[in-house]
Amino acid sequence: MKKIILVLLALIMTVAAEAQKREMRGAWIQCVNGQFQGMGTEKMQQTLSYQLDELMKDGVNVIIFQVRPECDALYESKLEPWSRFLTGKQGQAPSPYWDPLQWMIDECHKRGMELHAWINPFRARTKTTKQLASNHIAVREPLSCFSYDDLFILNPGLPQNRDYICEVAKDIVSRYDVDGIHMDDYFYPYPVKGETIPDADQFRVYNNGIRDINDWRRYNVNLFIEQFYKTIHATKPWVKVGISPFGIYRNKKSSSIGSDTNGTQNYDDLYADILLWVNNGWLDYNVPQIYWEIGNKAADYETLIRWWNQYASGRPLIIGEDVERTVKYADPKNPNTHQQAAKMRLHQQLPAVKGTVLWYAKAAVDNVGQYGTMLRNNYWRYPALQPSMPFISDKAPKKVSKMKPIWTSGDYVLFWTAPKGKDWRDKAVKYVVYRFAADEKVDINDPAKIVAITTNTYYKLPYANGSQKYTYVVTALNRLQNESKIVKKSIKL
């Protein structure tokens, strides 16, 4: 038993040494699977509160919350109807009334998490939706959509549709204090044998001199992505734009730079040229959905994560991770355990990888295969700031002032004063508190020394008997979590 404990302690210390100070640790909370449909306000709030509490314990620092699955809304909107995935009937407001997006923003911010609003840009109706509200875009403008495999898709070839999606996103960003806006892999529909995309008429009208319809479809999506990115940053420059594409860009048989895989392709099948978007800076973080296991014959996880690391490093690369599949399959090099440890080692080894988003939140909350336990005790044991995004802004707040420990109401509390800021770039919105023992060198790059990331301008100190000396350090963060210079104070506890 003693030997096992020593091995576990060594493992924890090894992981801690490799812990990243800046890392996106996200989880997708989806509604399109019907997990909240007709649940009612109180029960849904209880369910979400429990999920957020457990995810916070796991170390999650970003929630990506689905708010627009089919040109509808899990928030108050004058542009689109209430979602049936909330109330059971499209267009019907929740009762008792609440705004799930606003509620989630408040709850996430209370827990120190970012909230990214997740929209499905072009999907206008899922297969299971049989009745649309009178103010739904497919009812108001039926020619704006095409039908494919029992789905309705907003036609990306129509300029007004691109404008419309940007208008919806701008409405969200302008009215809600979201930290990011996120879209997933639904651009043109996934190909289905025997189905043809009915867009020949639009191609004739809007081809812009492009002769190949496949090139034209990619051109349409490229136009949209560029317009979308510029719209968001013109509205609120600090709001991050994230895209979560399918896990394969191109197979090697289709392109010399393709991955050694054999599956559906972003570029050829979904008309999503994700590398162009990364290289042109039309997104702020990229989350390819590498949902397969290590050793998958058609799409090996290790092959794909190495491919994305090599070709898509122009923006922070975050790995979309399938929790259930990870714990379902054994590690090929260690058959007695599942693949979480092997995948995390790859994350740590590859320099472009700046984080993970879990598919999906509930699987982590349910702790399948002890996945959540390993996050909270090992991989995400210490807090982390968000990845740096100097391409948005590299400006940081000035340092805090008047830092001093004071006894108040029986507690020993470290107080400081916020720095003055003119705009979002230098305005402090959070603070990082570090603690170092008397014999330790101050090194704020060590996340193990972070004791709090807080919106407060104070921190309650763990006073014992006043015999132990520590150095406390406080820094200020802006909306992008760019960090100020340090202020330190020697304190006896």
Side-chain angles (χ1 to χ4, degrees):
M1 175 61 75
K2 195 172 183 181
K3 187 176 180 181
I4 293 172
I5 292 170
L6 288 171
V7 169
L8 286 173
L9 285 172
L11 175 62
I12 289 171
M13 288 174 71
T14 301
V15 172
E18 295 171 347
Q20 300 297 309
K21 179 181 170 179
R22 290 190 175 271
E23 186 176 34
M24 183 181 285
R25 301 169 176 176
W28 280 293
I29 296 183
Q30 86 279 38
C31 67
V32 76
N33 66 343
Q35 66 171 319
F36 304 120
Q37 188 170 317
M39 185 179 273
T41 300
E42 184 178 358
K43 179 66 174 174
M44 185 170 168
Q45 289 179 353
Q46 289 173 352
T47 302
L48 286 168
S49 291
Y50 173 72
Q51 290 187 6
L52 293 178
D53 286 342
E54 292 302 300
L55 292 167
M56 183 176 69
K57 293 173 190 173
D58 287 344
V60 168
N61 59 19
V62 174
I63 296 296
I64 302 176
F65 181 56
Q66 189 174 31
V67 299
R68 185 185 184 261
E70 51 178 358
C71 293
D72 53 356
L74 273 85
Y75 60 95
E76 188 175 294
S77 172
K78 293 179 180 177
L79 301 174
E80 298 188 311
W82 284 102
S83 176
R84 78 172 180 90
F85 294 109
L86 177 63
T87 64
K89 181 181 179 182
Q90 191 176 92
Q92 181 176 305
S95 180
Y97 185 84
W98 70 306
D99 184 323
L101 175 55
Q102 184 59 57
W103 187 89
M104 282 291 284
I105 291 167
D106 294 339
E107 293 297 312
C108 286
H109 288 176
K110 188 192 303 181
R111 292 169 174 82
M113 299 170 168
E114 289 195 350
L115 188 286
H116 294 206
W118 162 19
I119 70 169
N120 302 85
F122 291 102
R123 187 172 63 195
R125 193 198 71 185
T126 59
K127 291 184 181 183
T128 54
T129 298
K130 303 305 177 188
Q131 187 175 1
L132 297 174
S134 59
N135 62 331
H136 189 275
I137 184 68
V139 176
R140 291 187 287 109
E141 303 283 349
L143 296 179
S144 67
C145 302
F146 61 73
S147 179
Y148 184 93
D149 189 35
D150 205 26
L151 300 167
F152 283 175
I153 306 293
L154 280 178
N155 192 333
L158 294 173
Q160 61 265 34
N161 283 342
R162 301 193 292 267
D163 293 342
Y164 174 68
I165 299 166
C166 289
E167 182 186 5
V168 169
K170 181 177 181 179
D171 176 60
I172 293 170
V173 170
S174 61
R175 292 193 296 118
Y176 292 91
D177 188 24
V178 295
D179 302 287
I181 192 149
H182 182 92
M183 66 178 87
D184 57 9
D185 50 324
Y186 292 99
F187 301 102
Y188 279 88
Y190 277 76
V192 174
K193 192 174 182 179
E195 293 267 354
T196 303
I197 296 174
D199 60 354
D201 290 344
Q202 289 77 30
F203 177 53
R204 279 192 292 272
V205 176
Y206 297 108
N207 62 61
N208 200 35
I210 298 171
R211 295 186 178 183
D212 183 281
I213 195 168
N214 297 316
D215 289 337
W216 174 72
R217 289 171 182 159
R218 275 185 289 273
Y219 169 75
N220 294 332
V221 182
N222 292 340
L223 285 176
F224 164 68
I225 295 296
E226 181 181 17
Q227 181 182 352
F228 186 92
Y229 185 78
K230 290 178 177 177
T231 298
I232 299 307
H233 282 286
T235 306
K236 285 181 181 173
W238 63 87
V239 173
K240 302 162 190 172
V241 176
I243 299 180
S244 179
F246 185 71
I248 298 172
Y249 175 66
R250 301 189 84 182
N251 299 311
K252 189 161 279 187
K253 65 183 180 182
S254 300
S255 168
S256 60
I257 67 160
S259 52
D260 190 12
T261 50
N262 183 25
T264 301
Q265 305 167 100
N266 275 294
Y267 184 92
D268 304 82
D269 301 317
L270 305 176
Y271 308 101
D273 191 353
I274 184 71
L275 286 195
L276 179 74
W277 311 342
V278 168
N279 292 328
N280 284 359
W282 294 343
L283 47 78
D284 298 316
Y285 67 92
N286 171 32
V287 194
Q289 298 170 25
I290 311 180
Y291 287 170
W292 300 275
E293 71 277 9
I294 298 170
N296 184 287
K297 291 180 180 178
D300 172 55
Y301 178 95
E302 183 168 354
T303 297
L304 282 165
I305 193 173
R306 291 187 184 279
W307 186 93
W308 286 101
N309 177 75
Q310 179 178 354
Y311 289 100
S313 60
R315 285 290 186 265
L317 174 63
I318 319 296
I319 304 304
E321 199 76 72
D322 186 320
V323 173
E324 291 180 339
R325 190 179 290 234
T326 297
V327 302
K328 178 181 177 182
Y329 290 94
D331 179 354
K333 295 179 181 177
N334 185 5
N336 293 323
T337 186
H338 58 59
Q339 295 192 356
Q340 184 181 14
K343 288 184 174 183
M344 284 298 189
R345 279 195 297 274
L346 286 167
H347 285 225
Q348 292 165 349
Q349 291 166 6
L350 299 174
V353 175
K354 304 297 182 186
T356 309
V357 178
L358 306 176
W359 177 257
Y360 49 103
K362 189 176 183 298
V365 170
D366 291 345
N367 199 24
V368 295
Q370 298 294 300
Y371 194 100
T373 298
M374 288 297 287
L375 289 180
R376 67 180 65 179
N377 293 338
N378 253 342
Y379 302 110
W380 294 352
R381 183 181 176 198
Y382 301 113
L385 305 183
Q386 295 304 322
S388 297
M389 295 186 179
F391 43 85
I392 300 177
S393 174
D394 60 0
K395 192 170 184 180
K398 287 183 166 47
K399 60 186 181 182
V400 305
S401 60
K402 301 177 184 176
M403 193 163 91
K404 186 177 181 181
I406 297 174
W407 282 101
T408 175
S409 303
D411 292 322
Y412 202 31
V413 181
L414 182 64
F415 288 93
W416 59 88
T417 300
K420 292 180 180 179
K422 295 178 182 177
D423 63 17
W424 70 271
R425 293 172 188 84
D426 60 2
K427 185 178 179 182
V429 296
K430 284 185 180 179
Y431 305 90
V432 188
V433 182
Y434 304 82
R435 185 172 91 156
F436 300 90
D439 59 345
E440 288 179 322
K441 182 182 177 183
V442 171
D443 177 13
I444 65 167
N445 292 316
D446 182 357
K449 302 305 175 185
I450 298 174
V451 293
I453 301 173
T454 178
T455 56
N456 298 324
T457 54
Y458 58 87
Y459 172 74
K460 183 180 174 183
L461 296 163
Y463 186 83
N465 54 19
S467 63
Q468 294 291 321
K469 190 176 179 181
Y470 296 93
T471 299
Y472 275 81
V473 171
V474 175
T475 60
L477 304 175
N478 66 6
R479 287 299 299 247
L480 284 181
Q481 300 200 356
N482 293 339
E483 192 170 19
S484 74
K485 292 180 180 178
I486 70 170
V487 173
K488 59 184 180 179
K489 193 78 175 177
S490 181
I491 300 173
K492 287 185 177 181
L493 297 177

